[in-house]
Amino acid sequence: MQKVISVNKLVKKYGKNNAVKGVSFDVFKGEIFGLLGENGAGKTTTLEMIEGLRKPTSGTINVLECDIRHKLACVKERVGVQLQSSAYYADLTLQEILELFGSFYQKRLPVKKLLKMVDLENKSKSKIGMLSGGQKQRFSIVASLVNDPEIVFLDEPTTGLDPLARRNLWKIISDIKNQGKTIVLTTHYMEEAELLCDRVAIMEKGEILAIDETHKLIEQIDYPYTINFSVAEIKTDLFQKLMKFGEVRNTLAKKHRFELKIKDQKALNGAVKVINQMEPLTLTVGRATLEDVFIELTGKTIAE
Amino acid sequence: MLKLFIANLKMTTRNRQALFWSFMFPLMFTFIFGMFFGKNSMVGTIGIVNNSGSEIAANYEKILKEANIFKIVEFNEIDEAKKEISKNSLSAFVYIPDSFGTMLTQADNTLVVYYDQGNAQIGSVLENFSDKFLSQSNMAISKAQEVFKLRTEKTSSKDLTYFDFVLAGILGLALMNSSIHGIAVGMSKYREDKILKRITTTPIKSWQFVGAEVLSRLVLNFLQIALILVIGVYAFDAHIYGNIAIIFAVSLVGALLFQLIGFVIASFSKTTSAAEGMATAITIPMMFLAGVFFPIDSLPSWLYSVVQYLPLAPLLRIIRGVTLEGTSPFSDLNYVLIVFAWIAASLAISIYRFRLSEE
């Protein structure tokens, strides 16, 4: 696989505070690579160093085989950047903004095609202030595509959007991937990373805790299966039996609902048998999620 | 860069607030001062109560009207005129008794000037005018020879008014306000909205971005200068003796200086409202202290020794030299030196401090 980004021992210090503590990773052509972590984990700082917006304290970054310390201008021609909560000129129309930003590049896509990509053709004469939150975010993504970039950087692209608008944006991001572009995104939404990213790096306090293909990260964890069930009445003897297969926990704030984490297939079968004896009202068996991976790695949940 | 330049022009014409400060604000001053001190502007409104039918009374009234110093309202009764003074619609009036100038032995030959203490200036102009008329009449009647004479001469051979002086001041004021506020607030807003950061992710160079911004604002300044001069000259008869091209060139150099000060503010202010505050804190004192409305020479000497170095002060002197006297902008090199020292200093600080990116 062709490496399009190569980050090596990247460090960023602000005074005594180490925002990024020597991270290294590669991004391959055509994949969606996610930097996942809490607010303040160092995702945006890392991303902005790759984009050339911040100067690394030490370490090297190669983008499209160019060392960005020396060839940043050449890299800028070939990448697209969407910033966290960035605004655009309030007094220009969407069409004018895209034409203006297009004029900064040697290579540029037709404005009509861009607006069509994010379903905003009928808003071409509108100003940014007239758009909804979801439309603004779609516009800021498409504004990062004006130069038909090889790599697109998206910083928290769905933060603050309602569920429907988020799904809409996921579709757009996967469409961009299908055009053969590489996407690097940051997010603190676990399900977003799980759904979109081919590979993720989980960041915590400026370090990468784990990095792999998303499904492999989930498979590798200690308890890859989860059983959720509810009962009308708690039978103590059967519960004791069940605990041999894994940890049984009361689901938050619900008295008769339980969650059981399971290590392997054999334990799963055994546990299901016991639960069936309890005459459960509901029973679902699921795979662990990226959130479980995160909790296992960091010992906490992500606070939104 | 051309596209950015055009986009900047578009944005300015669409931004009502920017347009107000660039055009309406200076024009407001032009109109206000033009109406007070421009063409046909009169000192104030006075009244006349002429009860005499004599030739000398009629002559006095005629000369007063022809002098075109006051707007004159006629009254039949003293009380009517007094009432108008108390309503503030009249500043003073002159009363001519019915026997005035009739040459009867018991005739009352006294003109009476009534004036409002709140408008003593107008009263004294009317008093002087009447006094002069009466002395000349006295001399004519007594056939006396005039021995001592008074002659006044203007130091400039040109016909100049206070409005001409103020118009050049308004020009400087307009350039200062729109450039300092425009750049300081505009750039801070761009930074706050992360537009500057977004720009740095593109291949466009910082100097290209700044250049497009500066050039588009200079176009705006050009229109400002043209509008102020056209209205001053055609609506209020302002006198301009200098070369128009030189006036524009000097003004645009001034605009550039103020834009640089705007960049200095933008590089120190963290938020848009801070930039607004800093810009106001710089422009308002300069508006009153640098000689926009009155010559700074009349300030106390300790204050003068400081304010003469404010950026607007030497610039206004150069502009006035060109517009009022038609002299060369380089006729006093000290002023040129101060202006360029400010340009060099603010340019150096801007280059050192102003960044599009946050790092």
Side-chain angles (χ1 to χ4, degrees):
Chain A
M1 267 192 294
Q2 189 190 337
K3 270 188 215 171
V4 289
I5 297 173
S6 188
V7 173
N8 196 15
K9 293 180 185 152
L10 193 61
V11 173
K12 180 70 190 181
K13 287 183 186 173
Y14 291 106
K16 282 182 182 170
N17 177 25
N18 277 17
V20 177
K21 301 171 184 165
V23 303
S24 301
F25 60 88
D26 296 324
V27 178
F28 301 106
K29 189 174 164 44
E31 71 174 353
I32 300 185
F33 180 81
L35 285 168
L36 181 65
E38 288 179 299
N39 294 332
K43 309 178 303 267
T44 298
T45 309
T46 304
L47 196 70
E48 290 189 348
M49 282 192 281
I50 301 172
E51 293 161 354
L53 289 175
R54 292 177 194 275
K55 284 199 178 77
T57 308
S58 66
T60 58
I61 302 165
N62 278 283
V63 178
L64 298 165
E65 293 172 350
C66 300
D67 185 332
I68 64 159
R69 277 176 301 187
H70 312 300
K71 291 186 177 171
L72 186 58
C74 145
V75 171
K76 282 178 177 176
E77 281 285 348
R78 297 164 67 192
V79 303
V81 176
Q82 181 244 357
L83 297 173
Q84 207 178 104
S85 72
S86 74
Y88 286 88
Y89 296 102
D91 290 316
L92 293 181
T93 65
L94 301 193
Q95 181 172 348
E96 287 166 338
I97 294 172
L98 293 179
E99 279 168 358
L100 176 63
F101 275 80
S103 75
F104 300 158
Y105 298 93
Q106 282 162 15
K107 185 178 171 188
R108 67 195 75 146
L109 290 177
V111 170
K112 258 191 182 164
K113 185 178 168 187
L114 287 165
L115 287 173
K116 194 165 180 232
M117 217 184 275
V118 289
D119 208 13
L120 287 173
E121 309 111 289
N122 54 354
K123 296 273 177 193
S124 66
K125 299 266 185 285
S126 303
K127 291 184 185 151
I128 207 97
M130 302 169 185
L131 303 184
S132 70
Q135 288 172 330
K136 270 184 200 157
Q137 207 65 352
R138 262 148 56 197
F139 179 74
S140 88
I141 288 183
V142 86
S144 69
L145 301 176
V146 287
N147 56 330
D148 195 17
E150 293 163 56
I151 306 174
V152 185
F153 296 98
L154 307 174
D155 197 1
E156 310 246 347
T158 65
T159 297
L161 296 185
D162 62 61
L164 204 67
R166 280 176 71 197
R167 271 164 209 284
N168 196 330
L169 223 58
W170 291 346
K171 167 82 171 54
I172 289 169
I173 294 171
S174 61
D175 285 347
I176 298 171
K177 182 196 169 184
N178 291 337
Q179 292 172 20
K181 298 186 194 306
T182 308
I183 297 168
V184 180
L185 62 84
T186 69
T187 181
H188 59 251
Y189 295 120
M190 297 293 148
E191 78 277 24
E192 178 168 296
E194 196 173 331
L195 203 89
L196 280 178
C197 299
D198 297 299
R199 291 193 314 130
V200 293
I202 295 178
M203 285 193 80
E204 162 87 350
K205 291 179 185 156
E207 288 174 303
I208 292 181
L209 300 180
I211 178 167
D212 211 330
E213 288 173 42
T214 315
H215 67 94
K216 277 192 186 158
L217 276 177
I218 295 167
E219 284 161 12
Q220 281 162 11
I221 72 168
D222 290 346
Y223 299 93
Y225 305 100
T226 308
I227 302 174
N228 280 289
F229 65 98
S230 59
V231 289
E233 183 188 352
I234 298 168
K235 292 172 183 161
T236 321
D237 53 331
L238 286 173
F239 262 85
Q240 270 164 1
K241 241 186 192 175
L242 195 59
M243 280 177 195
K244 286 176 197 159
F245 299 106
E247 193 191 343
V248 185
R249 282 196 310 189
N250 211 194
T251 312
L252 289 177
K254 291 191 180 151
K255 208 175 165 190
H256 294 281
R257 288 189 72 89
F258 298 92
E259 187 185 75
L260 178 57
K261 303 259 183 206
I262 301 286
K263 263 192 162 147
D264 53 39
Q265 189 70 43
K266 199 177 151 200
L268 178 68
N269 294 340
V272 169
K273 240 181 231 171
V274 176
I275 294 168
N276 272 328
Q277 289 169 22
M278 294 178 182
E279 294 163 356
L281 300 170
T282 59
L283 170 63
T284 54
V285 176
R287 213 168 55 109
T289 62
L290 206 50
E291 189 165 347
D292 299 313
V293 178
F294 188 85
I295 293 165
E296 192 174 298
L297 286 170
T298 63
K300 58 184 173 188
T301 51
I302 284 189
E304 279 189 16
Chain B
M1 189 172 156
L2 178 69
K3 199 106 190 178
L4 189 58
F5 168 75
I6 294 167
N8 281 337
L9 284 183
K10 266 189 207 166
M11 284 187 270
T12 317
T13 55
R14 288 175 194 175
N15 186 331
R16 290 210 189 114
Q17 211 183 344
L19 282 184
F20 175 81
W21 288 108
S22 308
F23 292 104
M24 289 314 291
F25 190 65
L27 284 186
M28 241 160 56
F29 277 103
T30 313
F31 273 104
I32 292 169
F33 279 92
M35 282 188 293
F36 274 106
F37 305 107
K39 173 178 65 170
N40 297 335
S41 65
M42 296 183 191
V43 177
T45 308
I46 60 154
I48 184 162
V49 185
N50 187 358
N51 288 346
S52 166
S54 69
E55 191 187 334
I56 191 163
N59 203 17
Y60 170 81
E61 191 175 337
K62 182 171 165 252
I63 291 175
L64 186 62
K65 282 177 180 165
E66 281 171 359
N68 235 349
I69 313 171
F70 308 103
K71 196 176 161 208
I72 298 169
V73 187
E74 287 174 40
F75 295 94
N76 295 323
E77 300 287 337
I78 291 187
D79 287 344
E80 272 177 59
K82 277 185 177 169
K83 216 183 261 172
E84 292 304 308
I85 285 192
S86 67
K87 283 196 283 183
N88 280 331
S89 52
L90 206 63
S91 307
F93 70 90
V94 58
Y95 167 65
I96 308 176
D98 46 10
S99 57
F100 183 84
T102 51
M103 301 300 160
L104 300 172
T105 43
Q106 67 275 54
D108 182 359
N109 282 327
T110 313
L111 279 182
V112 190
V113 171
Y114 292 84
Y115 69 93
D116 175 11
Q117 280 104 316
N119 261 319
Q121 261 176 315
I122 291 173
S124 87
V125 174
L126 182 58
E127 184 191 332
N128 282 334
F129 180 88
S130 308
D131 193 32
K132 198 171 174 192
F133 174 83
L134 293 179
S135 355
Q136 277 174 355
S137 306
N138 283 334
M139 276 166 62
I141 288 167
S142 62
K143 298 199 170 66
Q145 279 290 317
E146 196 178 14
V147 181
F148 301 107
K149 291 180 185 174
L150 174 71
R151 188 170 56 130
T152 54
E153 266 188 35
K154 293 173 192 164
T155 50
S156 164
S157 58
K158 293 169 179 116
D159 198 7
L160 291 174
T161 65
Y162 175 63
F163 180 66
D164 300 334
F165 174 87
V166 161
L167 190 70
I170 292 172
L171 202 65
L173 175 72
L175 297 172
M176 174 179 77
N177 269 336
S178 71
S179 303
I180 293 187
H181 278 274
I183 292 285
V185 176
M187 287 298 130
S188 302
K189 180 100 177 60
Y190 283 173
R191 180 176 297 126
E192 212 164 78
D193 288 348
K194 302 208 176 155
I195 289 176
L196 292 187
K197 195 173 177 185
R198 182 66 181 83
I199 289 285
T200 54
T201 68
T202 71
I204 193 168
K205 306 264 189 305
S206 302
W207 68 264
Q208 290 173 313
F209 178 80
V210 171
E213 188 69 37
V214 168
L215 284 180
S216 62
R217 288 199 174 269
L218 286 181
V219 171
L220 184 77
N221 293 138
F222 187 90
L223 297 176
Q224 260 184 325
I225 301 165
L227 202 64
I228 293 171
L229 291 182
V230 163
I231 291 184
V233 170
Y234 291 102
F236 300 108
D237 260 10
H239 306 90
I240 288 172
Y241 295 102
N243 181 317
I244 288 291
I246 297 176
I247 297 174
F248 271 93
V250 170
S251 304
L252 290 178
V253 169
L256 196 67
L257 161 60
F258 293 126
Q259 284 196 28
L260 286 169
I261 294 176
F263 278 110
V264 171
I265 296 173
S267 56
F268 282 97
S269 60
K270 295 215 158 52
T271 61
T272 309
S273 47
E276 258 162 7
M278 284 163 79
T280 309
I282 288 175
T283 52
I284 295 282
M286 203 130 68
M287 173 166 140
F288 291 108
L289 292 175
V292 172
F293 303 117
F294 51 85
I296 52 173
D297 315 67
S298 53
L299 289 170
S301 60
W302 64 269
L303 189 57
Y304 172 75
S305 62
V306 178
V307 300
Q308 62 173 326
Y309 297 109
L310 292 175
L312 184 60
L315 189 78
L316 284 183
R317 289 185 190 234
I318 297 173
I319 292 180
R320 286 195 176 118
V322 178
T323 56
L324 307 183
E325 306 290 336
T327 53
S328 151
F330 300 101
S331 58
D332 190 329
L333 283 176
N334 280 332
Y335 302 150
V336 181
L337 219 63
I338 300 173
V339 168
F340 278 93
W342 276 106
I343 290 181
S346 45
L347 181 68
I349 298 173
S350 300
I351 290 173
Y352 179 68
R353 286 278 316 208
F354 185 74
R355 291 282 175 275
L356 298 188
S357 61
E358 281 154 25
E359 283 190 19

